[in-house]
């Protein structure tokens, strides 16, 4: 079977939490060519539940992320089923025994990929949606002298308490299914995955999105129930439950200051991000509300608050779901790259 | 066992959906005395999952709802465990066989109570929180010549599509538990009830509520997890799952125009509400957003938009949870009653 990605072997990868992922693998895909000066690299981490292919909507000829000019690296998040994950890790760290992985761990691994495999010392831009934004903030905070620009969109530098609670609901719905069996399922816990999808549905798009019936009028579903089944249940059902829970833990514990560099001082960490930053929340995002982005920008030395004017909720930054939002984000990335 | 409520026998109560609840009972509690002119009646319906005692925070000496001056009737919603419900209905309409009951059915039953038992022909005020607001709107629309004032707070005249989706998540979480057994459970489906509670937790209070840590600082919980367990799981665990689902169906299908009077014409129905109305959304309510109230007010002939300035989300109208919001609502009710 041919695949469209490559593997970087991390060897025995020690995690913040104390576990070691032996034979840890980082899956990634690149676009374009690294130039001789090695100064055209863009890192573009993946989002919750997704793999690299779900990032490709933002890449293309004429786009800010143009393979003709940039060298774009999409590293797959640990737990996403391609990089080391509950679903592909050999015993004894398989399934629900997969250890807790932080965004810090992810970005440490990505840094090794970028530095060791490609010899890159400066990164032109790190950008990403949602949990990709979380990793983007980590890049800025962990490697302030390496990262020239960051553009986190529809995400945060630290999982807010409300966001944490939203995810508790998602997790509880998935794990309420007896078929989940504490993660030792032999068949897919479909009822739990469907329940999780329905919980997610109310959060993913805004009240206004549903009020304007954009599920029908813009996305073409035939009814609200069709949207819930075909879009939402269809989205989560193919995914591995333990993978989803591993990434959910990573999300809930995301915090750029939760490491030995910054010792939990969130404001200081924001202040240490030297990169020129466009922080782009979705204006109607229900779990990454703009107020949290405003707080971040206020404490970053070189950041601009750039809300995405959209009623698509979290999906303002979604995987190319709304063309108008894609244009907005792409335009802002071009602006940032020129500056 | 002595109880603090009374029962009105509805007899064979025919529902909009076609079923007949034989021996249907409406539980209610009254406060104060109906005066000789029978013009001091206030109707104050209950909210989702609650019984009359959870309405009493708004009643008291010196309050707008003062038993020394008003005759206050709290009718318990069908499905809430006191009025006819899955949990107390005899076979064959018991448990998951309990029929679908609409807000129209509820208010029809309440009207019979008010008219037949008390001989009331004019109602000074109908008010209620959340699903209580839904019933309040129904009162205004179904009996426009009887109801002088309405004050629905943190609720709507019609379940919005987004609100419907939010409830789909709640329902899916509860029913994902195998112990639920399609409603034929013999022991409480605790895992499902706990999951439902965690899903609800993110919706009940606003992002700002959690950001400001009001769960700890205002409500006194010892940690976020303590709030999720003690407040939220503790709230839903004592309740009957079929009752919760019966009321959830009522909520999802709430629509003042879905009846033979108005034939689904929502704007016309709003336009037919003659009562002087204060429509009071919570400014940060995540499932009854103020925009929906603004739409309602714009189409009502005698309504004022009165948002509750609060970061307590839906609980701005909650059962006395935030003293400042209680004062605001009470003050507005006094203003409305004087006008």
């Amino acid at each position: 079977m041919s695949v469209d990605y490559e593997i970087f072997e991390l060897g025995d990868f020690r995690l913040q939490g104390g576990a070691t992922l032996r034979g840890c693998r980082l899956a990634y895909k690149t676009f374009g060519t690294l130039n001789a000066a090695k100064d055209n690299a863009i890192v573009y981490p993946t989002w919750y539940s997704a793999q690299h292919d779900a990032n490709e909507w933002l890449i293309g000829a004429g786009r800010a992320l143009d393979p003709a000019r940039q060298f774009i690296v999409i590293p797959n998040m640990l737990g996403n089923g391609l990089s080391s994950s509950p679903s592909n890790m050999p015993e004894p760290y398989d399934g629900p025994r997969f250890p807790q992985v932080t965004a810090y761990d992810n970005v440490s691994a990505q840094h090794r990929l970028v530095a060791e495999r490609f010899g890159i010392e400066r990164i032109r831009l790190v950008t990403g949606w949602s949990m990709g934004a979380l990793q983007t903030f980590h890049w800025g905070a962990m490697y302030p002298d390496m990262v020239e620009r960051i553009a986190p969109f529809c995400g945060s530098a630290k999982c807010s308490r409300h966001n944490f609670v939203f995810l508790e609901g998602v997790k509880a719905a998935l794990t309420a299914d007896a078929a989940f069996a504490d993660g030792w399922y032999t068949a897919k816990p479909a009822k739990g995955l469907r329940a999780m999808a329905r919980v997610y549905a109310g959060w993913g798009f805004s009240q206004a999105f549903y009020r304007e019936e954009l599920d029908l009028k813009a996305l073409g579903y035939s009814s609200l129930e069709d949207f819930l089944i075909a879009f939402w249940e269809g989205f989560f059902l193919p995914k591995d439950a333990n993978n989803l829970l591993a990434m959910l833990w990573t999300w809930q514990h995301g915090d750029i200051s939760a490491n030995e560099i910054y010792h939990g001082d969130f404001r200081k960490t924001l202040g240490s991000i030297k990169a020129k930053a466009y922080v782009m929340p979705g204006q109607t995002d229900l779990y990454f509300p703009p107020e949290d982005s405003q707080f971040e920008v206020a404490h970053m030395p070189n950041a601009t608050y750039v809300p995405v004017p959209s009623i698509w909720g979290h999906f303002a930054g979604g995987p190319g779901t709304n063309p108008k939002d894609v244009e907005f984000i792409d335009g802002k990335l071009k602006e940032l790259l020129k500056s």
Side-chain angles (χ1 to χ4, degrees), chain A:
Chain A
M1 190 180 81
S2 90
V3 295
D4 72 338
Y5 59 90
E6 294 171 86
I7 294 291
F8 179 68
E9 298 284 351
L10 289 159
D12 293 353
F13 187 62
R14 300 171 76 111
L15 301 170
Q16 262 195 310
T20 296
L21 279 174
R22 292 172 182 82
C24 186
R25 295 153 61 95
L26 188 64
Y28 66 96
K29 184 172 178 180
T30 66
F31 299 78
T33 309
L34 185 62
N35 64 15
K38 298 194 173 185
D39 67 358
N40 68 334
I42 291 178
V43 177
Y44 181 20
T46 58
W47 40 279
Y48 181 65
S49 86
Q51 300 177 346
H52 59 267
D53 60 305
N55 267 12
E56 297 185 17
W57 57 275
L58 197 55
I59 299 171
R63 293 272 182 216
L65 274 53
D66 187 340
R69 291 175 288 120
Q70 324 280 7
F71 178 61
I72 302 147
V73 183
I74 304 182
N76 283 271
M77 194 158 39
L78 293 164
N80 85 339
L82 287 187
S83 291
S84 289
S85 299
S87 65
N88 64 21
M89 195 71 188
E91 292 177 330
Y93 271 127
D94 59 317
R97 275 284 189 276
F98 192 76
Q100 294 164 345
V101 175
T102 62
Y104 178 93
D105 293 327
N106 271 287
V107 173
S108 298
Q110 293 167 19
H111 178 262
R112 282 189 50 195
L113 164 71
V114 166
E116 295 175 20
R117 171 147 301 180
F118 298 110
I120 292 168
E121 292 175 359
R122 300 281 294 173
I123 298 177
R124 189 175 281 183
L125 171 70
V126 184
T127 190
W129 178 47
S130 198
M131 277 188 83
L134 175 67
Q135 295 166 77
T136 298
F137 276 111
H138 274 77
W139 267 102
M142 291 166 61
Y143 307 103
D145 295 317
M146 183 177 187
V147 178
E148 295 171 354
R149 297 171 194 80
I150 61 171
F153 52 99
C154 307
S156 67
K158 179 179 177 173
C159 183
S160 76
R161 298 174 86 248
H162 177 265
N163 193 321
F164 187 97
V165 171
F166 142 59
L167 293 170
E168 279 301 299
V170 170
K171 184 171 72 180
L174 172 55
T175 58
D177 184 355
F180 174 68
D182 294 328
W184 301 110
Y185 45 84
T186 46
K188 172 158 74 177
K191 192 180 259 192
L193 290 163
R194 289 181 194 270
M196 168 184 184
R198 282 187 184 247
V199 172
Y200 226 111
W203 291 109
F205 295 92
S206 76
Q207 299 97 339
F209 172 92
Y210 285 104
R211 189 183 299 120
E212 301 295 330
E213 300 185 350
L214 296 186
D215 48 325
L216 315 182
K217 293 173 184 169
L219 297 179
Y221 291 89
S222 50
S223 65
L224 183 55
E225 182 65 11
D226 183 48
F227 182 57
L228 293 177
I229 295 173
F231 181 94
W232 282 105
E233 297 186 8
F235 183 82
F236 282 109
L237 278 168
K239 300 179 194 289
D240 178 78
N242 286 323
N243 287 356
L244 290 169
L245 291 170
M247 287 181 278
L248 191 145
W249 192 96
T250 303
W251 183 349
Q252 284 190 311
H253 295 83
D255 178 354
I256 51 169
S257 69
N259 49 60
E260 293 188 357
I261 315 172
Y262 296 110
H263 304 283
D265 188 336
F266 186 55
R267 291 179 192 217
K268 183 185 161 192
T269 315
L270 288 169
S272 75
I273 299 176
K274 294 181 181 171
K276 181 167 174 122
Y278 274 18
V279 178
M280 299 197 277
Q283 212 153 29
T284 55
D285 194 322
L286 288 171
Y287 47 94
F288 291 112
E291 290 79 3
D292 292 329
S293 303
Q294 285 174 309
F295 179 90
E296 291 160 348
V297 167
H299 292 85
M300 292 164 72
N302 206 10
T304 307
Y305 173 70
V306 185
V308 185
S310 170
I311 63 167
W312 286 62
H314 188 58
F315 277 76
T321 319
N322 181 25
K324 190 161 156 275
D325 296 334
V326 175
E327 290 312 313
F328 181 88
I329 292 167
D330 185 55
K332 290 296 171 185
L333 290 180
K334 283 175 177 152
E335 195 178 290
L336 179 61
L337 280 168
K338 274 185 198 139
S339 66

